Structure formats: structure tokens, C-alpha cells
Amino acid sequence: MELSNSLTKRLSTILATMSLVVFMSAAQKHQVGKSISKDLFGIFIEDLNYTADGGLYAEMVQNRSFEYSPSDVDLHEYHKKGQWHPFTAWEFLKVGNAIATLSLETEKPLNANNRHYASVDIFTVGQQGAGLRNNGYNGMVVRIGESYDLSVFLRAKNDGQVCVRLVERDSVLAEDIIDIDTSDWRKYETTLTPNKSSEQAAVEILFLQEGRVDIDMLSLFPQNTFKNRKNGLRADIAQVLADLNPAFMRFPGGCLTHGDGLNNIYKWKHTIGPVEQRKEDYNIWNYRQSMGLGFYEYFQLCEDIGAKPLPVLAAGVSCQNSARLRGTGQQTIPIEDMDEYVQDMLDLIEWANGDINTTWGRMRAEAGHPEPFHLEYIGIGNEDHITQDFKERFLMIQKAIKLHYPEIKVVGTVGPGPDDWDWKEGWAFARETAPDLVDEHYYRQPQWFLDNLHRYDNYDRTQSKVYVGEYASQGNTMLNAIAEAAYMTALERNGDVVSLSSYAPLLARIGNTQWNPNLIYFDKTNVYPTVNYYVQQLFANHRGDTYISNVVKGIETASCVRDSNTKKVMVKLVNTTDSIVDVQVNLGSQKIRSYNAEVAVLSGKRDHKNGQGKHLETDVRPIVGKEKLSRKFMRKLPPYSLTVITFK
């Protein structure tokens, strides 16, 4: 006998309810809370893909001190040959019948760190003089009514005047006249306010007297920077980072840190102090860094977005891929020079945390930050080949830090892969030397992340903690983002051994990328968060310090955390399939003050990805709403989705 449809539905409902009651009763008895890291989700900034100059650092002038060099670019990048030289982004101007010559000079420079400067010899001024134009990074973006701070160092043989102006082709958007009255280097400043907006503007400097004029460090900044800091960061990009609510920020690399050979190891002391005195350098990603975004700015950004600073310095060795010798190019600082190198590490900690009566703490205060930066973590090395030379130097650095600053947590490295020789040798070394954390990296396909949800379940809880410093599922589709979300629930479940994690790379300027995929794309006018970005944001904005087990039935890719400060309970549910999935949620005996829950859902088609270079109507973003839920409920999860439910 066949049952009627109505009776069948009633029986199904009764059975489902009985199943849910049984599950809830069992879960309530066995729910266990364990402490996990509150710093679990952060960000990692590396200066590749034009992240700093031409990106986050709001300087609008490219090659402002004439330091670009053909040697900055890997010769294999043939398309850049001839485009990379001291006058890259500059144009020599002779306006209105002016007669003049342009030369590059190094005699009696502004300072010893950046020796190049331009000299203009004017023989006939003509109607408008002679000078230079800088087009920035493929055209400058200026907005009507907004103000831009211009500064330049000049040295003139004769007193005279200089015209500085913003232009769009032949149209003058703003200008000012500056009197030059010194034969020694002097900084001149003014403010320009354009009379119309442009995305193809340039800055010009025209000398209106005969004789030689030397020029260096022509700079143009919007006054509208992040937190309105003078000569600061591009507001829209920095705000997108702030919106991630990162617990920490790792910087400045990456491969950039240990560099392309010993002469290219990143030196933090070259990146602080007045910007005109900072020592520019090329990076391993084949372009030059002005160091305008240096350690002071990185630490300041951390403070501005509420992230703990995690600087990373080389472990006394260069990248093993130096000189494009894949895996065999590691160069080592001579042992006799390591004491000085180790002292640089100790000086950094004093600079960050020392009071104003210490040598380096006083320098930080003189730069404008008398209060300490409260440095807690420091990274030593990045993806290094675990050689005996590396081990010897790492141990020297770690011992010195722990001797002088035992409270600082040292982050070691276990190579570039999740299970290769360096990873095995690195962990063996870590078990001997016991750094506070070790840094694991992996870039793999989405299925790898789904196959490795239990990677950290059996890690030894008594050994070094883990920092998953660089990871990505090699794509920006919905599938990639959801695979990462699934993996992040496993990181939360193992948050007692995995203390930190950060997606990589973070930023990429469209048209100037050396690595894909990235979390955030941008051009000179807009910022384009990926679907992956919103996964990171949802997890970071819903962090907890206690993991609660046995909450969800129906999927493995779920987690539940509680924040002891806010008392919020947050459930994350990830559906990695192309079908709707039913789950049962039981918060058991968890104390919940309100059943008006906030529910955020991120979902989309498997192959969808957000626009890069254009905002699309189909861009995927979380949909956030309010729902009245009990501590025990059933829910249908959309295909390829992340759902975050927050109870107060």
C-alpha cells in the first residue's frame, strides 16, 4: 500500500526531528571547548606586483630620484630592455624656443645613498623655460578640488624661478611659481589644487632662468591619504586592507627579504629616516623600490589597522634562486660578519619596542612615534634551503634574540613546500632548536586543500607552533575561494597548533604583475577584491579564542568559535559541492544572550570570479542579514558557499 503524499511528508518531518533531537542530545553531552590562537588570520604584504611604488605607497612620481637602472631588470624580460634607465618615466621639456641640455650627474649628490640627480643647463629661457615632465605610473590621477603636496630638492647656479604645474596634455590643471635662492641643495614645497579631474595627468617642473639647475627627489602626494598621514598611503587600497581586520601583518617579504644574492638582502635600516636619505634598491621581482614604504610606514600601517607587526628578515643567507640558479644559488654572509648582522636584528627590536632613552628608540621617537610599536613576533628567514650554512646562522640569530629579548616570538622557516626535503629537514631542525613558530608555505590546486583538511590534526602540540605564512589554491574562482574556506575551518579546528595564517600574495597592480593569483587587484583608479578576499574577510571578522567541537552534523567543513571578550559564538559552514547540503547545528549548552543572529552568506557558481579591472554586476560579495534562530536548528547550504552565523 502506498502512503499518501501528505502522510509521507509528515513521517519524513517526524524522522528528521527525531534524528535532530538525538544528534542534539549527543552533541550537548560531548561538546568540548579548547583555546585557540586569537591571531589566527592576518595578512602578508610583499613588494611584488608593484604593491608599494605605484600601489599602496601614494607617491605619484615614478623614479623620483633618477635611480632606475638597466641592471634592475632580469635580462630574460626582453620586453623591458631599453625601458629601464635613470630617466624612465621622465620627459625633457624645452618649451617656447628654449635652448637647454639635460644630463645625469653623480658629483656632489644630495646624499651618498642615492647618488643620481638630473642637471638642466638652460642657455636660452624662451617663453616658458626648460625642465622635466613626469607621467607617474602610466598617467597620474588627480581630482578637482583635492590638494596635492609637491616637494623637490633643487640646487641652482643662479637665483631665479621655477614653475611647477599639473598638466593634462597641453592643458594646465594647476601651477605655482617657486623662487630659487641657493647654490646648495634645498627642499622646496608647495601645494597644487587642480581645476578639473584627470586620469592622465603629469607633473612638470620648468626653470625660468639661464644657467645650470640640479634637481632630485621631485615628489607629489595627495593630501587625501589613509588616515590623512602626510606623504602616506593610498587611501582606497589601505582601507581594503583595514576592512580585512587582520590580526597581524607580515612584511616586507617573502623572497624579497632574503633577496637576489648577498648584496640584495633587504636591510631595514636603509628604509627608515628621511625618504631622500633612504637607500633605494632593486628587488628580486625585477623592479626598483624607492623604500618610501619602509619599516616605519609598515609599522605605522599595522598600528592604523589594528594588526600586530611581524617583520621578516633574512637568516644570514640569500634566496637559493639567486642569480636565477634554481635551488642552488644560496649565498651566505661570512661568519666573521654575522655579529654585525645579528646586531641589526637586535637594533630592530630596540627600534620597535625601546623607550626614548635607548639609541634606536630615540630614533623612532624623532621620526614621530615616541610610543613603542609593541613588537611581539619576528620572522627569521623565508622558504630557505635548509643547509648547514642556514642552520648555523639561524641559530646565531635566534640565540641572540632570546638572550636579549626572551619575550619576542621567533618564527622560523621550513622551506617552500608542504612536504618536500626542506620541509622535512626544516622540521627536524625546528625540533632541535625550538623556535616559537615555523613558517609553512604551499601553493596548490583546490583539491589539495580539500584532501588535506586533517593535515594538522596529528601535529605534535608540544613542539613549535605553525604559521601558515603563504598559501593559495592557485585561482580566483568561487571554487578556489570555497576550497580555501574549507581549509580555514580546519585551521580553526587546529588553532591550538596553528597560531597564524595569511593568504599570499596580497596585492597586484593590473598590468604589472609577476605572480598570479592574488587576493586584491587594483589599477590607478580602483580596487578589485576577489572572491577569495571575502572569504578571508569573513574569517578574520569572525575570529574567536575558543574552538567548540561537535556542533555541526552533515558536513566536515565547518567550525565553531567563541570570543571570550565579546561573548559572540560564530559558526562557519562551507559547502564545497554543486548541490544543496542539509546540516544540523547544535550549540548545546553555549550561553547565547540573543537569538537574533547575524547571517552572512557568500555563494556563487563554481567558475565565477569577480572583475579585475572593471567592477561587474555579477561580482560576488557576502549577503548579510538577520535571522531569529535557536541554539538548535537545521539549515540548507547553497552550492559552493560559505555561511557565517553569529550569535551574541
Side-chain angles (χ1 to χ4, degrees):
M1 180 184 295
E2 293 186 1
L3 296 175
S4 67
N5 288 338
S6 60
L7 181 59
T8 301
K9 289 181 180 179
R10 287 177 60 191
L11 284 173
S12 297
T13 302
I14 292 170
L15 290 172
T17 303
M18 291 174 61
S19 175
L20 182 58
V21 169
V22 171
F23 161 67
M24 290 174 175
S25 299
Q28 186 165 340
K29 291 178 181 178
H30 296 98
Q31 280 187 346
V32 178
K34 67 176 178 181
S35 295
I36 62 172
S37 171
K38 187 66 181 293
D39 297 339
L40 185 54
F41 302 116
I43 59 175
F44 163 46
I45 289 182
E46 177 164 15
D47 191 1
L48 80 159
N49 302 323
Y50 283 58
T51 283
D53 298 320
L56 182 59
Y57 186 50
E59 172 66 80
M60 299 169 69
V61 176
Q62 183 177 184
N63 189 21
R64 63 187 177 185
S65 60
F66 308 100
E67 298 298 328
Y68 279 21
S69 167
S71 63
D72 294 341
V73 179
D74 181 6
L75 292 180
H76 289 95
E77 296 196 28
Y78 62 92
H79 60 284
K80 290 186 177 179
K81 285 183 179 180
Q83 300 178 28
W84 211 254
H85 53 78
F87 288 114
T88 294
W90 292 97
E91 181 182 349
F92 184 35
L93 300 176
K94 292 179 285 185
V95 184
N97 299 317
I99 300 174
T101 60
L102 172 68
S103 62
L104 181 73
E105 304 292 341
T106 58
E107 185 180 359
K108 297 181 180 179
L110 179 62
N111 59 68
N113 286 337
N114 296 293
R115 298 190 58 83
H116 293 122
Y117 59 93
S119 285
V120 179
D121 279 295
I122 303 102
F123 304 104
T124 301
V125 174
Q127 295 175 338
Q128 298 184 51
L132 293 166
R133 173 190 292 141
N134 190 283
N135 298 301
Y137 296 86
N138 300 317
M140 299 178 179
V141 178
V142 297
R143 301 299 182 200
I144 185 171
E146 295 189 5
S147 296
Y148 298 83
D149 292 331
L150 182 144
S151 65
V152 62
F153 283 85
L154 298 172
R155 180 175 60 191
K157 186 175 182 180
N158 304 317
D159 291 350
Q161 292 184 321
V162 57
C163 176
V164 292
R165 61 191 191 183
L166 292 173
V167 301
E168 182 186 50
R169 300 180 181 88
D170 296 329
S171 175
V172 176
L173 308 179
E175 67 179 343
D176 194 15
I177 301 294
I178 299 173
D179 293 323
I180 307 175
D181 56 4
T182 179
S183 59
D184 295 321
W185 285 112
R186 177 179 165 186
K187 186 177 183 179
Y188 297 85
E189 297 178 277
T190 190
T191 299
L192 300 174
T193 304
N195 55 26
K196 74 171 186 176
S197 298
S198 173
E199 295 181 3
Q200 291 297 329
V203 61
E204 292 182 352
I205 181 165
L206 294 167
F207 304 108
L208 307 179
Q209 78 275 2
E210 294 182 355
R212 168 171 286 197
V213 182
D214 298 327
I215 176 174
D216 205 354
M217 287 295 293
L218 176 65
S219 175
L220 185 70
F221 273 89
Q223 289 185 356
N224 179 25
T225 60
F226 188 61
K227 302 291 185 181
N228 294 317
R229 297 196 178 279
K230 186 175 178 60
N231 298 349
L233 305 182
R234 188 173 139 177
D236 58 346
I237 298 177
Q239 187 59 56
V240 170
L241 300 185
D243 291 344
L244 278 168
N245 189 29
F248 67 89
M249 187 179 88
R250 178 187 181 221
F251 60 88
C255 293
L256 175 144
T257 296
H258 56 185
D260 189 12
L262 290 185
N263 292 332
N264 193 232
I265 286 178
Y266 193 96
K267 297 177 176 61
W268 74 271
K269 289 180 179 178
H270 290 173
T271 77
I272 61 172
V275 291
E276 70 272 11
Q277 296 177 19
R278 299 183 186 181
K279 192 170 184 178
E280 294 193 8
D281 203 357
Y282 76 97
N283 67 25
I284 200 168
W285 302 108
N286 296 308
Y287 60 91
R288 180 158 289 266
Q289 308 164 88
S290 72
M291 301 302 182
L293 179 55
F295 262 44
Y296 183 86
E297 290 76 20
Y298 279 125
F299 273 85
Q300 185 68 76
L301 175 59
C302 288
E303 188 172 270
D304 285 344
I305 65 177
K308 295 180 180 181
L310 200 172
V312 181
L313 299 175
V317 300
S318 74
C319 179
Q320 57 267 29
N321 299 320
S322 295
R324 305 303 182 267
L325 298 174
R326 195 71 186 171
T328 62
Q330 186 182 86
Q331 301 171 20
T332 59
I333 294 176
I335 285 295
E336 58 268 25
D337 295 334
M338 278 299 296
D339 285 346
E340 179 182 357
Y341 187 76
V342 170
Q343 188 60 51
D344 277 352
M345 303 281 191
L346 301 178
D347 290 345
L348 171 60
I349 298 171
E350 181 178 287
W351 179 84
N353 289 354
D355 63 41
I356 59 175
N357 296 314
T358 63
T359 299
W360 288 96
R362 182 170 61 254
M363 292 183 66
R364 181 200 65 240
E366 290 171 351
H369 202 284
E371 295 300 317
F373 279 118
H374 305 294
L375 178 66
E376 181 179 333
Y377 299 99
I378 188 167
I380 307 300
N382 169 77
E383 295 187 356
D384 294 294
H385 188 29
I386 311 298
T387 62
Q388 188 59 39
D389 286 335
F390 163 83
K391 293 179 182 179
E392 186 175 13
R393 286 154 180 79
F394 177 91
L395 193 55
M396 290 176 67
I397 297 168
Q398 179 179 250
K399 283 183 175 179
I401 291 173
K402 287 300 182 181
L403 176 64
H404 293 87
Y405 300 101
E407 73 282 5
I408 296 294
K409 296 176 183 176
V410 173
V411 183
T413 180
V414 290
D419 52 12
D420 57 11
W421 184 92
D422 285 311
W423 178 82
K424 295 173 184 176
E425 190 68 15
W427 265 110
F429 182 58
R431 284 188 283 272
E432 295 173 11
T433 55
D436 298 281
L437 301 93
V438 296
D439 183 13
E440 294 191 346
H441 295 179
Y442 28 83
Y443 297 92
R444 294 292 187 270
Q445 292 296 316
Q447 192 59 45
W448 184 93
F449 288 87
L450 300 179
D451 291 342
N452 282 271
L453 297 174
H454 298 282
R455 176 180 177 88
Y456 296 110
D457 289 1
N458 298 316
Y459 267 47
D460 187 347
R461 265 58 180 166
T462 65
Q463 64 183 11
S464 301
K465 302 299 183 184
V466 176
Y467 170 29
V468 183
E470 299 182 32
Y471 73 94
S473 65
Q474 296 182 326
N476 291 129
T477 69
M478 196 73 209
L479 175 63
N480 294 106
I482 292 304
E484 290 156 7
Y487 194 73
M488 292 168 77
T489 65
L491 296 183
E492 279 195 316
R493 186 178 69 249
N494 288 285
D496 55 332
V497 67
V498 180
S499 294
L500 312 170
S501 68
S502 50
Y503 182 102
L506 183 67
L507 289 163
R509 181 181 172 107
I510 296 171
N512 296 102
T513 58
Q514 295 84 41
W515 185 291
N516 279 298
N518 301 278
L519 196 67
I520 303 161
Y521 291 85
F522 64 90
D523 54 27
K524 63 184 179 180
T525 57
N526 288 296
V527 184
Y528 309 96
T530 61
V531 185
N532 317 65
Y533 170 91
Y534 292 112
V535 165
Q536 294 291 325
Q537 184 183 55
L538 285 169
F539 272 81
N541 281 334
H542 298 88
R543 295 194 304 269
D545 53 15
T546 302
Y547 181 83
I548 306 165
S549 60
N550 299 318
V551 169
V552 179
K553 185 178 181 181
I555 54 171
E556 181 181 20
T557 51
S559 62
C560 179
V561 297
R562 186 182 188 98
D563 186 321
S564 60
N565 291 324
T566 65
K567 309 304 180 184
K568 291 181 179 179
V569 176
M570 293 154 281
V571 181
K572 303 181 182 77
L573 308 166
V574 182
N575 182 1
T576 64
T577 74
D578 59 1
S579 302
I580 294 174
V581 171
D582 293 316
V583 296
Q584 302 163 341
V585 178
N586 174 22
L587 290 170
S589 58
Q590 296 301 309
K591 293 181 179 179
I592 295 173
R593 292 173 291 174
S594 172
Y595 294 109
N596 292 316
E598 178 188 89
V599 180
V601 180
L602 182 74
S603 65
K605 296 181 179 179
R606 172 191 172 103
D607 296 326
H608 183 87
K609 61 181 181 180
N610 288 355
Q612 296 173 8
K614 184 178 181 181
H615 289 294
L616 306 175
E617 291 183 1
T618 55
D619 280 354
V620 175
R621 298 180 179 86
I623 297 174
V624 182
K626 299 285 186 180
E627 295 184 28
K628 192 173 183 65
L629 298 171
S630 67
R631 285 181 295 173
K632 307 171 184 179
F633 59 91
M634 299 184 68
R635 191 168 193 90
K636 293 183 180 295
L637 304 181
Y640 300 113
S641 66
L642 164 62
T643 301
V644 181
I645 303 172
T646 303
F647 291 91
K648 294 183 179 180

